[in-house]
């Protein structure tokens, strides 16, 4: 159970007693784990449309742009589908 703390202590300058070192080592380890808790990296459903709108000339409202963008995207995907010749 103490292997990680013992290894860290052995490679330290041993300027404090092992018992004190272990307490600080465990506190630092807990703080490190807490700092790495999951963060939300989700991407909004309409992120592609928003990004395209931001790059556009904004000549129409976003709501209208999004409808057109999604229609164009669907048409593009459909155009890439194999043709059924059966």
């Amino acid at each position: 159970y103490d292997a990680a703390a013992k290894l860290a202590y052995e490679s330290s300058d041993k300027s404090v007693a092992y018992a004190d070192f272990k307490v600080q080592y465990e506190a630092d380890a807990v703080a490190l784990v807490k700092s790495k808790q999951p963060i939300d990296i989700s991407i909004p459903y309409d992120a592609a449309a928003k990004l395209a709108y931001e790059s556009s000339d904004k000549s129409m409202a976003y709501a209208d742009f999004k409808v057109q963008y999604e229609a164009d995207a669907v048409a593009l995907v459909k155009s890439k589908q194999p043709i059924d010749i059966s």
Side-chain angles (χ1 to χ4, degrees):
Y1 173 75
D2 296 342
K6 284 182 181 180
L7 285 172
Y9 181 74
E10 291 302 318
S11 65
S12 74
D13 62 5
K14 299 179 184 72
S15 60
V16 296
Y18 172 71
D20 297 330
F21 180 89
K22 180 182 167 195
V23 169
Q24 186 60 51
Y25 179 85
E26 290 174 350
D28 292 346
V30 168
L32 178 63
V33 169
K34 285 182 176 179
S35 74
K36 295 187 178 210
Q37 293 301 311
I39 57 172
D40 182 12
I41 59 168
S42 61
I43 299 171
Y45 173 76
D46 58 350
K50 285 181 181 177
L51 185 60
Y53 181 74
E54 291 302 318
S55 300
S56 74
D57 61 6
K58 298 183 181 83
S59 60
M60 63 174 76
Y62 172 71
D64 299 327
F65 180 89
K66 181 180 171 194
V67 169
Q68 185 62 50
Y69 179 85
E70 290 174 350
D72 292 347
V74 169
L76 180 62
V77 169
K78 285 182 176 181
S79 74
K80 305 278 183 182
Q81 297 300 313
I83 299 172
D84 183 12
I85 58 172
S86 57

